[in-house]
Amino acid sequence: MNDRLEGKIVIATHNSGKLREMRELLAPHGIEAVSAGELGLSEPEETGDDFVTNALIKARAAAKGAGLPALADDSGLCVEALGGAPGVFSARWAGETKDFAAAMARVAQEMKASGSPSRRAHFVSALAVAWPDGAEQVFEGKVFGDLTFPTRGTRGFGYDPCFTPDGYTRTFGEMSAEEKHGIPADGAQALSHRARAFQMLAASLLAPADPS
Ligand code: ITT
C-alpha cells in the first residue's frame, strides 16, 4: 500500500519547462516541491526504451539521493509517419545545446522524407512516484493532434510550437499555461499529456486541491 504524497517531495527533473509545469500542478495540493537540480542530484542515465521505465529510473534515483518521495516525468513526442520517433529520444534530438528549433526542423524534414501524408502525432507523459522505502506508482497521459509546420508560438517549451491538439487551431506554443496544463475545476479532462497523467496521480495520491 502506497502512502499519499504530502509535505516535501523532490521533482526529479533538470528540465526547467517541465519543472515549472509540475510546480504549478502541485501547488494547489499543499506540496512543497524541491527540484533534483536544486538539491544537486546527478541525472541518471535514461537507459529504458519506454517512457514508464525511464520515469521510474529518474524517480528511484531521486528518492534514494534525497531521502524524500520523488516525482519524475518521462515524456516525448511520437510521430505517426516516423513510426513513433522521436519518442523516448525527444530530448536527445535537441542535442547537447537543447536546440528545439533544430529538433522540430528534423521532425519536419524526416516527415517529408518518409513520403507519408500523415501529420498525426501524440505527446506522452509517464509520471512516476518513488518513495525512499521502495514503493512506486506510475501514471500515463497522452494527447493526440496534428503537427504544424511552419511552427507557431513562443510559449511553453520543447516541441510545443509544432503541435496542435485535436479540437484546437492553435499550437501548444500559442496557448497560455492555464490552457495547456490547467486542471478544469469541473472535473473535466485536462488538455496536455502531463496534466492528464497528473489528474490520475492526484486522484490516487494527493489531498484535494485547495482552489484559493
Ligand atoms: P528530465 O529527464 O531531467 O526530466 P528531459 O528534458 O531530458 O528532462 P525527457 O527525457 O522526458 O526530459 O525528454 C522529454 C522531451 O520531450 C523534453 O525535453 C521536451 O522537449 C519534450 N516534451 C515533453 N513534454 C513536452 C511538452 O509538454 N511540450 C513540449 N515538449 C515536450
Side-chain angles (χ1 to χ4, degrees):
M1 179 65 199
N2 284 299
D3 302 321
R4 286 170 75 83
L5 274 183
E6 53 196 6
K8 191 167 169 182
I9 71 165
V10 53
I11 304 183
T13 184
H14 290 78
N15 177 320
S16 59
K18 270 191 202 178
L19 179 63
R20 189 172 59 241
E21 288 193 6
M22 289 162 87
R23 280 208 161 115
E24 285 171 9
L25 287 162
L26 286 163
H29 296 274
I31 302 273
E32 187 193 339
V34 288
S35 75
E38 286 159 356
L39 292 177
L41 300 177
S42 58
E43 286 184 72
E45 211 187 324
E46 296 178 30
T47 51
D49 53 18
D50 60 70
F51 296 107
V52 167
T53 304
N54 284 336
L56 282 167
I57 287 171
K58 291 186 267 191
R60 281 179 198 136
K64 195 163 171 236
L68 289 170
L71 170 62
D73 163 287
D74 198 66
S75 48
L77 179 70
C78 302
V79 179
E80 188 177 273
L82 305 183
V88 292
F89 299 103
S90 295
R92 280 164 268 190
W93 276 31
E96 292 270 306
T97 60
K98 304 198 174 144
D99 183 347
F100 283 96
M104 290 187 282
R106 178 171 170 191
V107 170
Q109 184 256 318
E110 293 204 11
M111 281 171 70
K112 203 168 164 194
S114 77
S116 167
S118 171
R119 306 189 68 76
R120 300 294 292 159
H122 62 275
F123 273 117
V124 180
S125 164
L127 289 179
V129 181
W131 284 262
D133 68 2
E136 50 198 33
Q137 274 203 44
V138 189
F139 306 87
E140 194 172 75
K142 293 183 183 173
V143 58
F144 287 80
D146 285 323
L147 290 169
T148 300
F149 296 107
T151 60
R152 295 200 312 256
T154 54
R155 295 170 137 181
F157 67 97
Y159 294 87
D160 280 339
C162 73
F163 183 82
T164 303
D166 288 344
Y168 292 78
T169 54
R170 284 168 300 121
T171 68
F172 271 168
E174 295 174 297
M175 292 185 185
S176 66
E178 184 58 30
E179 198 172 7
K180 181 187 167 196
H181 61 266
I183 304 294
D186 63 2
Q189 193 181 46
L191 180 55
S192 85
H193 48 309
R194 187 165 299 100
R196 287 176 177 178
F198 185 81
Q199 281 180 309
M200 293 178 234
L201 182 155
S204 171
L205 297 179
L206 297 178
D210 177 354
S212 60

